[in-house]
Amino acid sequence: MNHTFQKPYNCRNLRRYLLLVLHLFLTYPAFSQERIYNVDVRVEESNEGIKIFADNGELLPMTLKMDFKTEGLTPSDGNSELVVLDSKSSNALVASFTAIPAEGYGYSYSYQIIKGDINSKHNDDYAYCLPYEKGERILMAQGYFGKFSHSGLKALDFNLPEGTNVLAAREGLVIGVKEDSQISCLNPSCLKQANYVDILHEDGTIGQYVHLSYNGALVSLGDKIKRGQLIGISGKTGFASGPHLHFQVTLPSLENGTAIATKFKLAENWIDIPKEKEFYTAFEY
Ligand SMILES: [Zn+2]
């Protein structure tokens, strides 16, 4: 989804007419909800130049990718194309430009909002726990790059029957919850109808637990979650052929989220990536 706003106005020194063009490029990972992020960018103009500020009302850091075109302005030291905004922060100085005296100035800019801190790196040493109760033996119905619906996607489908407890595979902060959907179909048009819980991990990656049942999220935005904690009830909402839990870990990226491979603790002394068509029994958290 692209949004374009064009707002003509007169330049401060009346020497130029310019267009302020904002481009918000918002794209969405396949299993996330479509939304407009709670991030605002604004410009303060003066005779000395311009300053750009941003507010981030989201529960996680967000990244702005800025692109400026200027005339009669000198960029300040420290201006960067990629700016990370702290969670729940306001009035962060994103960039500033100093006017060249007696010239008048003009500018346009565009920006892309990226979910999360673009500098995040996944802790590849972390061994996730299987996201269901101890002793349950569950089929890995679809693995990374599975042909049915994971083409090009590193995601896992655990074949959890409807109504099964879903546990957190890793500790973190709840940053996304949807549980109001009762809709399911075997068509990508139902992608946005999936109920889910999203958990932000310490390393900036996001664990996504998708297809939960109606009212099947047992946590709230802002909750701190322990590994192995009950977070939801499995279902089949969204684009699903039947009940299962779709799990993926997403790394913030310029593509607005890239699903990555993660290892699980599959048994004592056995840490590996779960394989399609295999059964795995949860044994500890
Ligand atoms: Zn899936």
Side-chain angles (χ1 to χ4, degrees):
M1 179 193 288
N2 289 337
H3 299 279
T4 301
F5 305 102
Q6 294 196 336
K7 178 188 168 197
Y9 65 97
N10 289 318
C11 179
R12 179 161 288 273
N13 290 345
L14 303 176
R15 287 178 55 179
R16 287 190 191 90
Y17 175 81
L18 60 84
L19 292 175
L20 170 61
V21 182
L22 304 180
H23 291 171
L24 290 83
F25 302 104
L26 302 175
T27 56
Y28 305 94
F31 290 90
S32 272
Q33 74 283 34
E34 183 171 316
R35 59 181 295 193
I36 303 299
Y37 294 121
N38 186 9
V39 172
D40 292 316
V41 177
R42 63 185 177 280
V43 179
E44 284 185 14
E45 300 176 19
S46 71
N47 287 329
E48 284 73 47
I50 60 170
K51 290 182 176 178
I52 297 92
F53 294 91
D55 301 330
N56 175 18
E58 298 287 337
L59 282 166
L60 77 169
M62 300 290 281
T63 303
L64 289 176
K65 182 169 185 269
M66 308 290 303
D67 181 32
F68 289 98
K69 291 179 178 52
T70 62
E71 290 177 67
L73 289 169
T74 306
S76 303
D77 289 345
N79 282 5
S80 172
E81 185 191 18
L82 291 167
V83 181
V84 178
L85 305 172
D86 289 340
S87 59
K88 292 284 179 189
S89 63
S90 55
N91 291 317
L93 182 62
V94 172
S96 63
F97 294 83
T98 305
I100 299 167
E103 283 229 357
Y105 62 79
Y107 63 90
S108 67
Y109 67 94
S110 62
Y111 61 90
Q112 178 186 358
I113 302 173
I114 296 160
K115 184 178 181 179
D117 179 347
I118 194 75
N119 301 312
S120 301
K121 288 191 174 41
H122 182 247
N123 174 7
D124 289 336
D125 292 332
Y126 191 91
Y128 291 71
C129 67
L130 292 166
Y132 40 89
E133 299 279 0
K134 244 182 254 188
E136 288 197 34
R137 184 171 177 267
I138 299 293
L139 171 69
M140 173 61 52
Q142 197 179 192
Y144 294 146
F145 304 127
K147 289 194 178 66
F148 177 66
S149 64
H150 294 174
S151 167
L153 184 66
K154 286 178 179 161
L156 301 170
D157 284 347
F158 293 95
N159 205 30
L160 293 186
E162 185 135 26
T164 307
N165 286 347
V166 173
L167 312 184
R170 184 175 177 181
E171 63 279 5
L173 178 76
V174 178
I175 58 163
V177 173
K178 177 178 168 65
E179 61 172 356
D180 61 354
S181 171
Q182 302 184 63
I183 296 171
S184 170
C185 74
L186 193 46
N187 185 301
S189 67
C190 280
L191 274 174
K192 303 283 189 294
Q193 305 298 336
N195 293 328
Y196 60 86
V197 169
D198 287 349
I199 296 181
L200 176 68
H201 303 144
E202 186 188 21
D203 59 16
T205 59
I206 298 163
Q208 297 176 283
Y209 303 76
V210 186
H211 306 306
L212 302 180
S213 62
Y214 175 59
N215 286 334
L218 303 180
V219 292
S220 303
L221 287 175
D223 285 357
K224 284 188 178 150
I225 300 301
K226 293 195 180 82
R227 174 187 174 97
Q229 185 172 331
L230 176 62
I231 58 169
I233 303 295
S234 69
K236 59 178 181 183
T237 54
F239 174 31
S241 58
H244 71 280
L245 174 71
H246 173 103
F247 176 78
Q248 67 182 61
V249 175
T250 301
L251 179 71
S253 68
L254 292 177
E255 295 73 38
N256 227 359
T258 301
I260 57 171
T262 57
K263 292 182 286 194
F264 284 73
K265 192 155 188 191
L266 299 172
E268 203 63 49
N269 302 318
W270 184 23
I271 292 173
D272 204 351
I273 289 171
K275 307 271 187 308
E276 193 166 304
K277 308 302 179 212
E278 298 285 330
F279 285 84
Y280 296 99
T281 304
F283 74 105
E284 62 99 45
Y285 311 123

